[in-house]
Amino acid sequence: MKDNAPLAAVVMGSESDLPIMRKTAEVLKEMGVSYEIKISSAHRTPDETALYAKSARDRGIEVIIAGAGMAAHLAGAIAANTTLPVIGVPIKSGELNGVDALYSTVQMPSGIPVATVAINGAANAAYLACSILSIKYPEIRAALDAKRAKTREILLEKSEADARWTDPEERA
Amino acid sequence: MKDNAPLAAVVMGSESDLPIMRKTAEVLKEMGVSYEIKISSAHRTPDETALYAKSARDRGIEVIIAGAGMAAHLAGAIAANTTLPVIGVPIKSGELNGVDALYSTVQMPSGIPVATVAINGAANAAYLACSILSIKYPEIRAALDAKRAKTREILLEKSEADARWTDPEERA
Amino acid sequence: MKDNAPLAAVVMGSESDLPIMRKTAEVLKEMGVSYEIKISSAHRTPDETALYAKSARDRGIEVIIAGAGMAAHLAGAIAANTTLPVIGVPIKSGELNGVDALYSTVQMPSGIPVATVAINGAANAAYLACSILSIKYPEIRAALDAKRAKTREILLEKSEADARWTDPEERA
Amino acid sequence: MKDNAPLAAVVMGSESDLPIMRKTAEVLKEMGVSYEIKISSAHRTPDETALYAKSARDRGIEVIIAGAGMAAHLAGAIAANTTLPVIGVPIKSGELNGVDALYSTVQMPSGIPVATVAINGAANAAYLACSILSIKYPEIRAALDAKRAKTREILLEKSEADARWTDPEERA
Amino acid sequence: MKDNAPLAAVVMGSESDLPIMRKTAEVLKEMGVSYEIKISSAHRTPDETALYAKSARDRGIEVIIAGAGMAAHLAGAIAANTTLPVIGVPIKSGELNGVDALYSTVQMPSGIPVATVAINGAANAAYLACSILSIKYPEIRAALDAKRAKTREILLEKSEADARWTDPEERA
Amino acid sequence: MKDNAPLAAVVMGSESDLPIMRKTAEVLKEMGVSYEIKISSAHRTPDETALYAKSARDRGIEVIIAGAGMAAHLAGAIAANTTLPVIGVPIKSGELNGVDALYSTVQMPSGIPVATVAINGAANAAYLACSILSIKYPEIRAALDAKRAKTREILLEKSEADARWTDPEERA
Amino acid sequence: MKDNAPLAAVVMGSESDLPIMRKTAEVLKEMGVSYEIKISSAHRTPDETALYAKSARDRGIEVIIAGAGMAAHLAGAIAANTTLPVIGVPIKSGELNGVDALYSTVQMPSGIPVATVAINGAANAAYLACSILSIKYPEIRAALDAKRAKTREILLEKSEADARWTDPEERA
Amino acid sequence: MKDNAPLAAVVMGSESDLPIMRKTAEVLKEMGVSYEIKISSAHRTPDETALYAKSARDRGIEVIIAGAGMAAHLAGAIAANTTLPVIGVPIKSGELNGVDALYSTVQMPSGIPVATVAINGAANAAYLACSILSIKYPEIRAALDAKRAKTREILLEKSEADARWTDPEERA
């Protein structure tokens, strides 16, 4: 991975998406992946969003993560302007629990895919970005594998402890 | 209404939307509204779609009707690039009965509205366009009012006839 | 636009819809569009609602915005009685997150369209009304264009600032 | 029950609803309930629909059954204009499997109820009308009870026969 | 209506449904309809529920209102055991917003209808019961008509007042 | 397992459910589980259904499988009358794709569970019945284990063969 | 039932499921069924989960209850590795009200059934486990029957008391 | 890209998924990406599926595409056993239009992402795989860019032609 130029771009349509999308940045940081954060809207700044997507690969970006809510067009608008892998995070906002954002993100037409994660799945968007980068950057693969192993270990330890509870009242 | 320059634009993302969107054109023609038809995709030809929307008002277009299916971004992508009224027709395609297209079309963020009609509601998109144009063009208002009156009359005639059926078997 | 006679009518079925529909009035005011507010119910005062709709165009109204929840018939009941453009705001109330109101508003039969916006999309209903009026009133077009440009500018400024955050912890 | 003046009214918004609503008439006929059939639309003939509902009780009607699809306002529009019991049949039409009609029919505001039956439940609308009339007309109660008993008997006979199948291949 | 024997029965499957179903009782009381309240469960006391339904008509009950949540079988279980009109109130409980109760109540098989009202529509269940009873009891019809007129009047008064608000800030 | 007295009961509300429920019988037969088939309706023959459920355990039945569509109360009505394990098969019928039957079957109140399988999952209902019986009858466990192993083997053979297709056109 | 070796296993994918799944343990304890609790994840510790399922029958387990949320694969992953009866509890977590977990649990392919209970139906999962064990263990059948009778009695007592409320205001 | 060892793996749970998943193979072939096809089931051959996933990276696979229907666990089961990027194709099968498969595929827990595409979006799964590989293989990037350009060109040509249709009857 080149010095410190960002490999990943984290884009969101509005500052109000930051409390969710911050988790993407946190995981990328933990995994050692350099990234940039960008607020750019498919509907309010369409030209800038298109330009940002078009220029991303040449600027060294290798994966783009876009989070948006409601009629969530951001990930699709970016995917329409680059052949880089684009990950979409459907954000719950408005009244439909994020189902609107999920459908608007995942049901893309043939030729312009968006790699969609769970509603509000900002952390998983980062893990998916790391999986993608792992095919090229051994150190990201190593970080991912180490994280996976550690998560497993923690769960196994809990599980050992828990195997002894036969009485739910013993724990509160 | 100027000679024959189109007042309405009927846009669709793919030729496969034509069997539905043709009804828009048919109603516009019946109402005497000049129009143009354009195939332009939010995802496959994003630059051309943006340009088309940006230039529409200056070319004399006063209302745009956009039909698209699945993650239906077309109406929103057009609305992002013009302050003309944009009518969205969610088209049923794919496996979700058009609910995906409905949500992707109607759940627009504040400031960039799309006037959404029923799933596959291409005829109504044209009637809505006529309502909009009717505030400026008395002849379109007259055509709309006449159509409305005629529809009512036909229904009343049927209703008169039907008031006599007390036996459903008498009709097959 | 004539002196101060209202161009837009904002109708709602019940006073309880006012916290949502107030945003329609606020945006219309900001855009310089004169309006009136009316409480009228498709179910509790059907005759008055029908009369209100029938007389609207002659009183100078050019666009009607109707907000209602649950089996939201208000916009449709108005559209049945005028060929003016009618904008429907599905309001979330009751237990179905507004999906009931969305379906009751958008799935209108052929010939009687309602221009539907997002669930609780009262602000966008006003922007859509302005788009419609913009085809006739240059000053409304100018206000809309100015608003659009300003929104874009604000977002771009934020985006500039935000492009530097590479560490999500720097912001809380 | 007076000579032959109809006790029940079967209303539908369009002739295309007849294949479904015919079942209502058939069951009413079988149960010996006099009825009339009326085509009247909440959206295309709103004044006539309101008048029809307002005058129904005085004409001797005691229960109204209204079938409609999509943004199914018919039953609600009738209920808004009479305090007679109104039964709504949500009809499947359009792309949403009748869920739009179900929500538009059942989610009525307080004070204006519609007695809703299943999607396309036209036969049950008639049985419900009979239940309602049965509180006043002993002969309708008797017809209903007899029908219920007969249905039960037929099922029990089948059940007796079927209790012997232990091999599904024996029946095709 | 006989002295004080109840005409209406309000049944619910569990005491936890009382906060919703109390509204049914309140409206019945306001309309002058005598009623009884019964807790009886389709699943926990199926025999008592069946007996209650079977004996209802002979005890003078003329309409039964049943409220239940989740897999709401109560109204259907009652309807299976009487030919009286049965009104079902789908109650929101559990995690599905009452859609489970709505479908379990409204989608009844042919021959055993349940008159379904909105999710948590306990007040409307009472108004519907009054409409049903109104075909036989003129005093209930009068009470319903008076209530309808009063509701209308209150709304019209509000509407008069509200027609003057052109500034939403004038009201908070 | 006693000579030939049925261990499993396959109940359905109507003969029209037989094309689906026949698969339950076929799998039970293949697994060597004796069974009886019964048509009994929660709504049309409620007393017989209750009696059938109440007497099932004493007649030697150890698991009951009930299939029903729409407001599918059958499995719940049976579970209300026995503490035997009751498996519910939501059957697709009517207009809601079986979601109504799924919710009506699975969302049971505390104390009266129904073991629900997939919509139209009649074969799996039989496999589940076998799993339940397998805790007591070693020969049923053996039959299940053998079937599982065979299914696996067939799939692995196909998989071996298929591992070689790198060209989809080679297969049609 | 052997001394104290657990007959039932309660498995959950994460410690965060414990507040829901604790109810399973509480009911099992009340019914006198020995059990063990295990935290094991289909996704984070897939090998351990598979091994746990494969070895369960030989360790004396006769029924497994698995609770999981979102893309709830746990019950299915266990069912894939044992022919014991597996009960799945779809847990509400994330933004989709548990519908995701319900579909992921109940819609299993042929041959690998999961006995699914209501969303968050952890208590009913235990009652279902008891029903299953009741075919082999008379003391569990007795405990279940006693519990059923007691629940019925409590409800009937309440019902007696409540039959007198004719005024909802008498109770708060 | 090494000689001919497959870079992509296309996995499906059953041969019945082949008519959909074949499109993945066709697009990969067109883009010049070597691939292997594997039938392996999360439920019927869980051990083999786990082993396949665990060994994939060492065998040179860099992206895995998994298609499955109903409670679609396949992509998740693979993602649980590798840190390679895993793309999930929810396949429509059974009665729920593929919504069950969509939720089961996309709603993955934190740490184990699945890159989900549209229901039946098998072609897009291949394009997404190409986007992922394009960050490492310039020839795949070139193939993708060329395809994108060609699709755009074809659409623009159509659009040119179509801009002239002002009469829908001219085309059939």
Side-chain angles (χ1 to χ4, degrees):
Chain A
M1 171 169 30
K2 304 171 222 158
D3 23 353
N4 239 357
L7 275 182
V10 181
V11 192
M12 66 202 87
S14 141
E15 205 170 2
S16 66
D17 299 327
L18 196 61
I20 294 294
M21 296 306 293
R22 157 170 294 139
K23 291 175 219 155
T24 304
E26 286 166 2
V27 171
L28 289 174
K29 199 182 168 195
E30 185 189 349
M31 295 291 106
V33 174
S34 55
Y35 62 90
E36 64 184 25
I37 294 182
K38 180 81 183 171
I39 294 193
S40 196
S41 162
H43 296 121
R44 296 194 187 103
T45 56
D47 294 342
E48 288 75 12
T49 298
L51 265 172
Y52 182 79
K54 276 188 224 283
S55 66
R57 202 190 287 256
D58 288 346
R59 289 187 301 107
I61 297 293
E62 303 198 355
V63 62
I64 302 178
I65 299 159
M70 297 184 70
H73 299 192
L74 183 60
I78 290 173
N81 285 290
T82 181
T83 53
L84 280 177
V86 177
I87 299 170
V89 182
I91 293 182
K92 175 180 170 171
S93 79
E95 313 303 331
L96 289 172
N97 287 330
V99 173
D100 45 0
L102 173 58
Y103 288 174
S104 299
T105 302
V106 79
Q107 289 290 93
M108 291 290 292
S110 189
I112 320 285
V114 167
T116 305
V117 294
I119 298 171
N120 283 358
N124 255 358
Y127 286 115
L128 179 55
C130 293
S131 281
I132 291 170
L133 295 168
S134 82
I135 69 170
K136 187 171 172 189
Y137 300 99
E139 65 277 24
I140 297 179
R141 179 192 169 182
L144 253 189
D145 284 347
K147 175 75 180 180
R148 200 58 93 83
K150 198 172 164 188
T151 304
R152 187 177 159 281
E153 218 172 296
I154 290 170
L155 192 64
L156 289 179
E157 268 169 39
K158 260 189 206 146
S159 183
E160 281 310 300
D162 294 342
R164 283 181 304 255
W165 329 328
T166 49
D167 186 346
E169 262 119 66
E170 279 169 30
R171 296 178 56 106
Chain B
M1 183 166 21
K2 305 171 222 158
D3 23 352
N4 239 355
L7 276 181
V10 182
V11 191
M12 65 202 87
S14 140
E15 205 170 2
S16 65
D17 300 326
L18 196 61
I20 294 295
M21 296 306 293
R22 156 170 293 141
K23 290 175 221 155
T24 304
E26 286 166 0
V27 172
L28 289 174
K29 200 181 169 194
E30 185 188 349
M31 294 291 107
V33 175
S34 57
Y35 62 91
E36 64 184 25
I37 294 183
K38 180 81 182 171
I39 294 192
S40 196
S41 162
H43 295 121
R44 296 195 185 102
T45 56
D47 293 341
E48 287 75 11
T49 299
L51 265 172
Y52 182 79
K54 277 187 225 283
S55 66
R57 203 190 285 255
D58 288 346
R59 289 187 301 107
I61 298 292
E62 302 198 357
V63 62
I64 302 177
I65 299 158
M70 298 184 70
H73 298 193
L74 183 61
I78 289 172
N81 284 292
T82 181
T83 54
L84 281 177
V86 177
I87 298 171
V89 182
I91 295 182
K92 174 180 172 172
S93 79
E95 313 303 333
L96 289 171
N97 286 329
V99 173
D100 45 1
L102 173 58
Y103 288 175
S104 300
T105 302
V106 80
Q107 289 291 92
M108 290 291 292
S110 188
I112 318 285
V114 167
T116 306
V117 294
I119 299 172
N120 283 357
N124 255 357
Y127 287 115
L128 179 55
C130 293
S131 281
I132 290 170
L133 295 168
S134 82
I135 70 170
K136 188 171 172 188
Y137 300 100
E139 66 276 25
I140 296 178
R141 179 191 169 182
L144 254 189
D145 285 346
K147 174 77 179 180
R148 201 57 93 87
K150 197 172 165 189
T151 304
R152 186 177 159 279
E153 216 171 298
I154 291 170
L155 193 62
L156 289 179
E157 268 168 40
K158 260 190 205 142
S159 184
E160 280 313 297
D162 295 341
R164 284 182 304 257
W165 330 327
T166 48
D167 186 345
E169 262 119 64
E170 280 168 28
R171 296 177 54 104
Chain C
M1 150 175 47
K2 304 170 223 158
D3 22 353
N4 240 356
L7 276 182
V10 181
V11 192
M12 66 202 87
S14 141
E15 206 171 0
S16 66
D17 299 327
L18 196 61
I20 294 294
M21 295 306 293
R22 157 169 293 139
K23 290 175 220 155
T24 304
E26 286 166 1
V27 171
L28 289 174
K29 199 181 167 196
E30 185 188 351
M31 295 291 106
V33 175
S34 56
Y35 62 91
E36 65 184 25
I37 294 183
K38 180 82 182 171
I39 294 193
S40 195
S41 163
H43 296 121
R44 296 195 185 102
T45 56
D47 293 342
E48 288 76 11
T49 299
L51 264 171
Y52 182 79
K54 275 188 227 282
S55 67
R57 201 190 288 256
D58 287 346
R59 290 187 301 106
I61 298 293
E62 304 199 354
V63 62
I64 302 178
I65 299 158
M70 298 185 70
H73 298 192
L74 184 59
I78 290 172
N81 284 291
T82 181
T83 53
L84 280 177
V86 178
I87 298 170
V89 182
I91 294 182
K92 174 180 171 173
S93 79
E95 313 304 332
L96 289 172
N97 287 329
V99 173
D100 44 1
L102 173 58
Y103 288 174
S104 299
T105 302
V106 79
Q107 289 290 93
M108 290 291 292
S110 188
I112 319 286
V114 167
T116 305
V117 294
I119 298 171
N120 284 358
N124 255 359
Y127 286 115
L128 179 56
C130 293
S131 282
I132 290 170
L133 295 168
S134 81
I135 69 169
K136 187 171 172 189
Y137 300 100
E139 65 277 24
I140 297 177
R141 179 192 169 182
L144 253 190
D145 284 346
K147 174 74 179 180
R148 201 56 96 83
K150 198 173 163 188
T151 303
R152 188 177 158 279
E153 217 170 297
I154 290 169
L155 192 64
L156 289 179
E157 268 167 40
K158 259 190 205 143
S159 184
E160 282 310 300
D162 295 342
R164 284 182 303 256
W165 331 327
T166 49
D167 186 346
E169 262 119 65
E170 280 169 31
R171 297 178 55 105
Chain D
M1 179 166 26
K2 303 170 226 157
D3 25 349
N4 240 356
L7 277 181
V10 182
V11 192
M12 65 203 88
S14 140
E15 206 171 0
S16 66
D17 299 326
L18 196 60
I20 294 293
M21 296 307 293
R22 156 169 294 140
K23 291 175 220 156
T24 303
E26 287 166 359
V27 172
L28 289 174
K29 198 180 170 196
E30 186 189 349
M31 295 291 106
V33 175
S34 57
Y35 63 90
E36 64 183 26
I37 294 183
K38 179 82 182 171
I39 294 192
S40 196
S41 162
H43 295 122
R44 295 195 185 102
T45 56
D47 293 341
E48 288 74 12
T49 298
L51 264 171
Y52 182 80
K54 275 188 227 281
S55 66
R57 202 191 285 256
D58 288 346
R59 289 187 300 108
I61 297 292
E62 303 198 356
V63 62
I64 302 177
I65 299 158
M70 298 184 70
H73 297 193
L74 183 60
I78 289 172
N81 284 292
T82 182
T83 54
L84 280 177
V86 177
I87 299 170
V89 183
I91 294 182
K92 174 179 171 173
S93 78
E95 313 303 332
L96 288 172
N97 287 329
V99 173
D100 45 1
L102 173 58
Y103 288 175
S104 299
T105 302
V106 80
Q107 289 291 91
M108 289 292 291
S110 189
I112 319 285
V114 168
T116 306
V117 294
I119 299 171
N120 283 357
N124 256 358
Y127 287 115
L128 179 56
C130 293
S131 282
I132 290 170
L133 295 167
S134 81
I135 70 171
K136 188 171 173 189
Y137 301 100
E139 66 276 26
I140 297 178
R141 179 190 168 182
L144 252 190
D145 284 346
K147 174 75 180 181
R148 200 59 91 86
K150 197 171 165 189
T151 304
R152 187 177 159 280
E153 216 171 298
I154 290 170
L155 193 63
L156 289 179
E157 268 168 40
K158 258 189 207 144
S159 184
E160 281 311 299
D162 295 343
R164 284 182 304 258
W165 328 329
T166 47
D167 186 345
E169 262 120 65
E170 281 168 28
R171 297 177 55 103
Chain E
M1 174 167 29
K2 304 170 221 157
D3 24 352
N4 239 356
L7 276 181
V10 182
V11 192
M12 65 203 86
S14 140
E15 206 171 0
S16 65
D17 300 326
L18 195 61
I20 293 295
M21 295 307 293
R22 156 169 294 139
K23 289 174 221 157
T24 304
E26 286 167 1
V27 172
L28 289 174
K29 200 182 168 194
E30 185 189 351
M31 294 292 106
V33 175
S34 57
Y35 62 91
E36 63 183 27
I37 294 183
K38 180 81 182 172
I39 295 193
S40 196
S41 163
H43 296 122
R44 296 194 186 102
T45 57
D47 293 342
E48 288 75 11
T49 298
L51 265 172
Y52 181 79
K54 275 187 225 283
S55 66
R57 201 189 286 255
D58 288 345
R59 291 187 299 108
I61 297 293
E62 302 198 355
V63 62
I64 302 177
I65 299 157
M70 298 183 70
H73 299 191
L74 184 59
I78 290 172
N81 284 292
T82 181
T83 54
L84 281 177
V86 178
I87 299 170
V89 182
I91 295 183
K92 174 180 172 173
S93 79
E95 313 303 332
L96 288 172
N97 287 328
V99 174
D100 44 1
L102 173 58
Y103 287 173
S104 299
T105 302
V106 79
Q107 289 291 93
M108 289 292 292
S110 188
I112 319 284
V114 167
T116 305
V117 294
I119 298 172
N120 284 358
N124 255 358
Y127 286 115
L128 179 55
C130 294
S131 281
I132 290 170
L133 295 168
S134 81
I135 68 169
K136 187 171 173 189
Y137 300 99
E139 66 276 25
I140 297 178
R141 180 192 167 181
L144 252 190
D145 283 347
K147 174 75 179 180
R148 201 56 95 83
K150 197 172 164 189
T151 304
R152 188 177 157 280
E153 217 172 295
I154 290 170
L155 193 63
L156 289 179
E157 269 169 40
K158 259 190 205 141
S159 183
E160 281 311 300
D162 295 342
R164 284 182 304 258
W165 329 329
T166 47
D167 186 345
E169 261 119 64
E170 280 168 30
R171 297 178 55 107
Chain F
M1 180 167 22
K2 304 171 225 159
D3 21 351
N4 240 356
L7 276 181
V10 182
V11 192
M12 66 202 87
S14 141
E15 205 170 1
S16 66
D17 300 326
L18 196 61
I20 294 294
M21 296 306 293
R22 156 169 293 140
K23 290 175 221 155
T24 304
E26 287 166 0
V27 171
L28 289 174
K29 199 181 169 195
E30 186 189 349
M31 295 290 107
V33 175
S34 56
Y35 62 91
E36 64 183 26
I37 293 183
K38 180 83 183 170
I39 294 192
S40 196
S41 163
H43 295 122
R44 296 194 186 104
T45 56
D47 294 341
E48 288 75 12
T49 299
L51 264 172
Y52 183 79
K54 275 187 226 282
S55 65
R57 202 190 286 256
D58 288 345
R59 288 187 301 106
I61 298 292
E62 302 199 355
V63 62
I64 302 177
I65 299 157
M70 298 184 71
H73 297 193
L74 183 60
I78 290 173
N81 284 291
T82 181
T83 52
L84 281 177
V86 177
I87 298 170
V89 182
I91 294 182
K92 174 178 172 173
S93 78
E95 313 303 331
L96 289 172
N97 287 330
V99 173
D100 44 1
L102 173 58
Y103 288 175
S104 299
T105 302
V106 79
Q107 289 292 91
M108 290 291 292
S110 189
I112 318 286
V114 167
T116 306
V117 294
I119 299 170
N120 283 358
N124 256 357
Y127 287 115
L128 179 56
C130 293
S131 281
I132 290 171
L133 295 168
S134 82
I135 70 170
K136 188 171 171 189
Y137 300 99
E139 66 276 25
I140 297 178
R141 179 190 169 183
L144 254 189
D145 283 347
K147 174 76 179 181
R148 200 60 92 83
K150 196 171 166 190
T151 304
R152 187 177 159 279
E153 216 171 297
I154 290 169
L155 193 64
L156 289 179
E157 268 168 39
K158 258 187 207 148
S159 184
E160 282 311 300
D162 295 343
R164 284 182 303 258
W165 332 326
T166 48
D167 186 345
E169 261 119 66
E170 281 168 28
R171 297 178 54 106
Chain G
M1 164 172 37
K2 304 172 221 154
D3 25 351
N4 239 355
L7 275 181
V10 182
V11 191
M12 65 203 86
S14 140
E15 207 170 359
S16 66
D17 299 327
L18 197 60
I20 293 295
M21 295 306 294
R22 155 170 294 140
K23 290 175 220 157
T24 304
E26 286 167 1
V27 171
L28 289 175
K29 199 182 168 194
E30 186 189 349
M31 294 291 106
V33 175
S34 57
Y35 63 91
E36 64 184 26
I37 294 183
K38 179 82 183 171
I39 294 194
S40 196
S41 163
H43 296 122
R44 294 192 187 107
T45 56
D47 293 342
E48 287 76 11
T49 298
L51 265 172
Y52 181 79
K54 276 187 226 283
S55 65
R57 202 191 285 255
D58 288 346
R59 288 188 302 107
I61 298 293
E62 302 198 354
V63 61
I64 302 178
I65 299 158
M70 299 184 70
H73 298 192
L74 183 60
I78 290 172
N81 284 291
T82 182
T83 54
L84 281 176
V86 177
I87 299 170
V89 183
I91 294 182
K92 175 181 170 170
S93 79
E95 313 303 332
L96 288 172
N97 287 329
V99 173
D100 44 0
L102 173 58
Y103 288 174
S104 300
T105 302
V106 80
Q107 289 292 92
M108 290 291 292
S110 188
I112 319 284
V114 167
T116 306
V117 294
I119 298 172
N120 283 358
N124 255 358
Y127 287 115
L128 179 56
C130 293
S131 280
I132 290 171
L133 295 168
S134 82
I135 69 170
K136 187 172 171 189
Y137 300 100
E139 66 276 24
I140 297 178
R141 178 190 170 184
L144 253 189
D145 283 346
K147 175 75 180 180
R148 201 56 95 83
K150 198 173 164 187
T151 303
R152 188 176 158 280
E153 218 171 294
I154 290 171
L155 193 63
L156 289 179
E157 268 168 40
K158 260 192 205 141
S159 184
E160 281 311 298
D162 294 343
R164 284 182 305 255
W165 329 329
T166 48
D167 187 345
E169 261 119 66
E170 281 169 30
R171 296 178 56 106
Chain H
M1 178 167 29
K2 304 171 225 158
D3 24 352
N4 240 354
L7 275 182
V10 182
V11 191
M12 66 202 86
S14 140
E15 205 170 1
S16 65
D17 300 326
L18 196 61
I20 294 294
M21 295 307 293
R22 155 170 295 139
K23 291 175 220 155
T24 304
E26 287 166 0
V27 172
L28 289 174
K29 198 180 169 197
E30 185 189 350
M31 293 292 106
V33 174
S34 56
Y35 62 90
E36 65 184 24
I37 294 183
K38 179 83 183 172
I39 294 193
S40 196
S41 163
H43 296 122
R44 295 194 185 102
T45 55
D47 294 340
E48 288 75 12
T49 299
L51 265 172
Y52 181 79
K54 275 188 226 281
S55 66
R57 203 190 287 254
D58 287 347
R59 288 188 301 107
I61 298 293
E62 302 198 355
V63 61
I64 302 177
I65 298 158
M70 299 185 69
H73 298 193
L74 183 60
I78 290 172
N81 284 291
T82 181
T83 53
L84 280 177
V86 177
I87 299 170
V89 183
I91 294 182
K92 175 179 172 172
S93 78
E95 314 302 334
L96 289 171
N97 287 330
V99 173
D100 45 359
L102 173 58
Y103 288 176
S104 299
T105 302
V106 80
Q107 289 291 92
M108 289 292 291
S110 188
I112 319 284
V114 166
T116 305
V117 294
I119 299 171
N120 283 358
N124 256 356
Y127 287 115
L128 179 56
C130 293
S131 281
I132 290 170
L133 295 168
S134 82
I135 69 171
K136 188 170 171 189
Y137 300 100
E139 67 276 26
I140 296 178
R141 179 191 169 182
L144 253 189
D145 284 346
K147 174 76 180 179
R148 200 59 92 85
K150 196 171 166 189
T151 303
R152 186 177 160 279
E153 217 171 296
I154 290 170
L155 192 63
L156 290 179
E157 268 168 39
K158 260 189 205 143
S159 183
E160 282 310 299
D162 295 343
R164 284 183 304 256
W165 331 327
T166 47
D167 187 345
E169 261 120 63
E170 280 167 30
R171 295 178 56 106

